[in-house]
Amino acid sequence: MDNIISTEYNRTGKSILVDEFGMREMQRRLYEKYTSKYLLLKSPPASGKSRALMYLALEKLRSGLVKKVIIAVPERSIGKSFATTDLRSAGFHSDWEINPLYDLCSPGGEPRKTIAFQNFMESGDKIIICTHATLRFAFDKIDIDAFNECLIAIDEFHHVSSDVENKLGELLRNIMYNTDASILAMTGSYFRGDSVAVLSPHDEQKFTKITYNYYEQLDGYQYLKSLGIGFHFYQGKYLDSISSTIDINRKTIIHIPNVNAAESTKEKIAEVDSIIDKLGKYIKTDEFGIFHVQADNGKILKIADLVNDDPLQREKVIRYLRNISKIDDVDFIIALGMAKEGFDWPFCESTLTVGYRGSLTEIIQIIGRCTRDSENKSHAQFTNLIAMPDAEDSEIINSVNNILKAIAASLLMEEVLAPKFNFQSKAKDSDDAVNLVVKGYKEPNSKNVQDIIDNDIIDLKAKILQSPDIQSCFGNKSDAKMINTVLIPKIIQEVYPGLSSEELVELGDYIITSSVIQSGNIISKGRDKFLTFSDRLVNVDELNMDLIYSINPFCNAFEVMSKSLNKKVFKAIQQCIQALRIRITDDEAMLLWPKVQDFYRVMGKAPSLDAMDPNEKRLAEVLVYLRQIKSET
């Protein structure tokens, strides 16, 4: 298996250090903005978002900016992160105290919780914790004026959408436009929304943004040294190949595919049984619902099953997992829709996900399960097990599309997980290791451009990498000039039509430079530093924009695919990718189809896309086009 991304971290310990009030670096950043009415916090899993909220909310209460605090989480299990907490002993002015009556993340029906929420709003208590659903139901029952002088904190904010059908999004808009309430939106995702924007651009401008990036978090850990993101391709059924991706000595979460996914056997319980059989010989199920399995080397593995739908069995397993305190308490967790956001297992070293996941937020949440800092690991690994298309299969186009999307998602993760460089046109007095001089680079002078770079660059890169035109460049040694001077600038202009031509150049220079730099690796040779790419070695002191624009920023994707797939399949994938670029009408295809048939009858083979004869090449394009049309019907 080849990693498409391998990132090294410096173990500085900075992200886990606390100040005289007990705050970590990210928590301090948010706390300093406590007077802001609307706050949007983007911070990775395990960075301490729940405690950051506590500091902020208590300061708002103490200073009289708000009278009540309402915390809404997407599911009950996440509510425990906001339980009563001692903050005074670390130096803060108050403790975080929750009246059990108003911890509504306990088991029970919504009608009872809605009544409890109404009672809270009329009581003298200051803090309530509930689910997103409870907040929605209660909001319908309570006069909107009751939310004046409240702080409403929405955890896992990516569950909200600006779409009119999204009830929580509509609630938030009502709060913003009809009350004086403050809002704190918190998310571990760096994407506005996977399909529909979380906030409208007009509403988003009202928020003060605090971004603590993933690299800052991971680089500042004590134990974690590296992270790998890679693919493993399989043919046939995934259960026949999954053993080769599992290391029984690494604490692992396995996410099996949704029953509606093409990779699924449609028998999820049987899939779990099969995976357990591959891990070893079943011994027993203990009183906590944990399976004990003996591996071939004699080691006893403890396996938690979160796929089983039996509510009593599942609740028993979840309760056990919530109270894990020792490394040997569990070895494997097998899950389907669970063990993602808000799930805390610090000892997890590896996540293995079967099938392409369409949500960028879901991918970052899954990766977050294995990147907690823990003394039992120096490396974390995310592996995506993806079906290798059959070169003879008529459905190959669908499989190729999934591969391209998965690779695009992984390249985007590099933007989130790798260090962010500051590019300069000439050397300046600075000891910052992330400053790079690129001759001819146009440094941003526009506030608009700088705001995009500081707060929205990941969303912009997401749109670039999700473009079919860009994805069609992954499986071929595509012309770098065409990518960097045509395709990427076109997408930037579509996303930000209001930017001036000068601003478009500034933003384009940054996007292309950062994409190219991150596609290489920086190595040291003596006193010199070099950037290594798939086909060249470049001295860092010789970087210039002409060189940057001559490099394909997606060359890593080509290398991974060419090494990981057999020659016949890779050739078939290249042909499918070429089909994405073909421009042909239905009328032309119908007109040339008889000639395709004549060619096959005379030559005994199909026309080739690699043919030197332009007529044969066009017939091959017609054939590919018609196969694509057939696969879509």
Side-chain angles (χ1 to χ4, degrees):
M1 180 191 72
D2 290 300
N3 280 332
I4 193 169
I5 297 171
S6 295
T7 304
E8 299 285 326
Y9 301 106
N10 294 306
R11 294 196 279 204
T12 66
K14 187 177 178 182
S15 63
I16 56 177
L17 289 177
V18 297
D19 63 13
E20 67 273 23
F21 299 111
M23 297 182 201
R24 297 187 200 171
E25 183 179 22
M26 179 277 289
Q27 294 161 350
R28 164 61 67 175
R29 286 187 199 176
L30 180 67
Y31 178 75
E32 289 173 348
K33 303 291 184 182
Y34 78 90
T35 58
S36 299
K37 186 175 183 181
Y38 301 135
L39 288 159
L40 173 58
L41 173 64
K42 296 181 181 180
S43 190
S47 58
K49 290 189 292 296
S50 55
R51 190 162 291 200
L53 161 66
M54 296 176 191
Y55 292 124
L56 178 90
L58 289 170
E59 189 59 44
K60 278 183 173 287
L61 286 168
R62 187 177 78 149
S63 60
L65 293 173
V66 300
K67 293 182 178 178
K68 286 182 180 290
V69 176
I70 300 166
I71 303 162
V73 298
E75 59 182 60
R76 288 191 295 112
S77 61
I78 299 175
K80 66 184 177 67
S81 300
F82 301 94
T84 294
T85 303
D86 171 19
L87 301 177
R88 286 179 186 270
S89 61
F92 196 60
H93 58 67
S94 308
D95 286 330
W96 178 258
E97 296 177 332
I98 303 294
N99 184 337
L101 286 174
Y102 300 124
D103 176 2
L104 305 187
C105 287
S106 54
E110 285 303 334
R112 180 187 66 81
K113 293 179 180 180
T114 299
I115 293 170
F117 194 106
Q118 292 174 289
N119 292 340
F120 165 77
M121 297 299 280
E122 297 169 0
S123 74
D125 279 271
K126 304 294 186 184
I127 304 168
I128 190 171
I129 305 170
C130 65
T131 63
H132 290 178
T134 299
L135 176 59
R136 293 198 315 269
F137 291 132
F139 185 78
D140 291 338
K141 302 286 186 183
I142 298 172
D143 188 289
I144 194 168
D145 289 341
F147 291 90
N148 284 319
E149 298 183 288
C150 289
L151 168 63
I152 300 174
I154 308 292
D155 193 27
E156 306 297 357
F157 186 63
H158 49 269
H159 286 263
V160 182
S161 167
S162 64
D163 191 287
V164 293
E165 296 299 319
N166 183 281
K167 302 299 184 184
L168 191 55
E170 182 62 28
L171 179 154
L172 214 53
R173 283 191 293 278
N174 270 326
I175 292 289
M176 291 178 69
Y177 286 100
N178 297 303
T179 77
D180 64 4
S182 297
I183 295 172
L184 170 62
M186 301 186 294
T187 180
S189 169
Y190 293 84
F191 313 107
R192 280 198 185 92
D194 290 313
S195 56
V196 180
V198 172
L199 292 169
S200 70
H202 176 71
D203 289 340
E204 186 172 338
Q205 288 177 357
K206 299 177 181 179
F207 280 75
T208 300
K209 298 174 184 176
I210 298 94
T211 299
Y212 188 66
N213 69 52
Y214 223 131
Y215 182 80
E216 287 181 282
Q217 172 74 1
L218 301 185
D219 196 58
Y221 275 161
Q222 181 179 358
Y223 303 107
L224 189 66
K225 179 66 177 173
S226 60
L227 169 66
I229 296 178
F231 299 100
H232 184 92
F233 295 100
Y234 71 91
Q235 284 189 310
K237 296 179 178 179
Y238 84 84
L239 291 169
D240 296 333
S241 302
I242 197 168
S243 296
S244 62
T245 65
I246 295 174
D247 181 348
I248 63 168
N249 295 309
R250 293 179 65 82
K251 308 290 184 181
T252 302
I253 298 175
I254 301 172
H255 285 107
I256 68 172
N258 185 283
V259 291
N260 296 317
E263 297 85 357
S264 174
T265 66
K266 316 306 178 189
E267 298 290 342
K268 61 182 182 180
I269 304 302
E271 289 178 34
V272 173
D273 290 342
S274 180
I275 292 170
I276 290 173
D277 286 342
K278 294 177 186 305
L279 290 172
K281 180 182 177 183
Y282 172 80
I283 303 298
K284 68 173 183 177
T285 302
D286 65 24
E287 67 271 27
F288 305 109
I290 303 300
F291 301 135
H292 292 234
V293 171
Q294 186 173 33
D296 290 342
N297 64 359
K299 181 179 180 180
I300 301 298
L301 304 174
K302 295 180 181 179
I303 304 170
D305 173 14
L306 291 178
V307 178
N308 192 325
D309 290 327
D310 183 312
L312 295 178
Q313 178 69 10
R314 177 180 286 190
E315 191 63 35
K316 188 190 300 184
V317 173
I318 290 173
R319 194 179 305 116
Y320 176 81
L321 294 177
R322 283 176 185 160
N323 294 301
I324 286 175
S325 60
K326 299 190 292 293
I327 291 175
D328 294 332
D329 283 344
V330 72
D331 297 287
F332 285 86
I333 295 174
I334 305 174
L336 199 160
M338 301 183 71
K340 295 175 187 175
E341 65 183 11
F343 182 81
D344 191 17
W345 181 27
F347 307 123
C348 178
E349 301 168 77
S350 173
T351 50
L352 171 60
T353 300
V354 181
Y356 161 67
R357 302 300 163 111
S359 165
L360 298 172
T361 295
E362 180 181 9
I363 294 169
I364 202 72
Q365 291 287 352
I366 291 173
I367 292 173
R369 297 320 101 200
C370 66
T371 54
R372 300 293 209 268
D373 202 29
S374 175
E375 62 183 351
N376 70 305
K377 64 186 175 192
S378 60
H379 178 78
Q381 179 69 40
F382 168 75
T383 302
N384 201 178
L385 187 59
I386 300 177
M388 181 191 297
D390 185 339
E392 309 298 332
D393 189 350
S394 62
E395 300 296 316
I396 186 173
I397 291 174
N398 293 330
S399 299
V400 170
N401 284 338
N402 282 345
I403 288 176
L404 295 179
K405 290 174 184 175
I407 289 176
S410 294
L411 290 173
L412 188 58
M413 291 307 110
E414 186 167 28
E415 178 67 32
V416 175
L417 298 163
K420 182 179 177 181
F421 292 100
N422 300 318
F423 305 114
Q424 304 168 347
S425 56
K426 57 184 178 180
K428 299 176 183 176
D429 293 334
S430 173
D431 295 326
D432 196 336
V434 295
N435 286 341
L436 280 180
V437 175
V438 182
K439 297 179 182 66
Y441 174 72
K442 193 166 185 61
E443 296 182 43
N445 290 314
S446 159
K447 183 179 184 301
N448 287 338
V449 173
Q450 196 58 55
D451 284 346
I452 293 169
I453 291 171
D454 290 342
N455 297 304
D456 298 326
I457 203 68
I458 293 173
D459 281 302
L460 177 54
K461 284 202 173 184
K463 288 187 170 63
I464 291 170
L465 285 164
Q466 290 170 326
S467 162
D469 287 337
I470 293 295
Q471 291 179 7
S472 71
C473 300
F474 291 170
N476 295 279
K477 289 188 175 179
S478 302
D479 179 56
K481 187 174 181 180
M482 190 246 325
I483 295 170
N484 294 330
T485 64
V486 178
L487 296 181
I488 291 178
K490 176 174 176 263
I491 296 167
I492 294 173
Q493 190 165 23
E494 289 172 353
V495 177
Y496 294 105
L499 293 181
S500 68
S501 57
E502 185 79 6
E503 289 173 326
L504 287 169
V505 170
E506 292 178 1
L507 185 55
D509 268 12
Y510 179 85
I511 282 282
I512 292 160
T513 303
S514 64
S515 297
V516 168
I517 296 299
Q518 287 183 338
S519 71
N521 294 306
I522 295 181
I523 61 172
S524 297
K525 288 189 175 183
R527 294 183 177 181
D528 295 325
K529 289 186 177 181
F530 294 86
L531 267 168
T532 63
F533 299 97
S534 59
D535 59 349
R536 67 183 87 183
L537 185 70
V538 179
N539 191 309
V540 169
D541 294 332
E542 297 172 1
L543 288 174
N544 61 77
M545 290 308 293
D546 287 339
L547 174 67
I548 292 294
Y549 272 78
S550 72
I551 297 173
N552 179 350
F554 313 120
C555 55
N556 280 355
F558 177 85
E559 294 297 319
V560 167
M561 292 175 67
S562 62
K563 291 177 182 177
S564 303
L565 301 167
N566 67 53
K567 188 175 181 180
K568 186 176 181 181
V569 170
F570 184 55
K571 180 69 174 176
I573 286 177
Q574 285 184 300
Q575 289 180 345
C576 284
I577 291 172
Q578 284 178 290
L580 297 174
R581 301 175 178 176
I582 292 172
R583 298 294 179 260
I584 193 170
T585 65
D586 289 348
D587 289 341
E588 184 184 2
M590 291 176 65
L591 182 66
L592 293 179
W593 173 239
K595 293 187 178 182
V596 174
Q597 294 174 306
D598 290 342
F599 184 95
Y600 191 87
R601 188 163 46 250
V602 172
M603 304 301 294
K605 64 174 185 176
S608 172
L609 287 167
D610 297 325
M612 298 297 291
D613 179 1
N615 292 323
E616 180 184 349
K617 187 172 183 178
R618 190 57 173 169
L619 294 178
E621 289 175 346
V622 169
L623 184 58
V624 170
Y625 174 79
L626 291 173
R627 283 175 175 167
Q628 184 175 9
I629 294 296
K630 183 180 178 182
S631 74
E632 293 172 354
T633 58

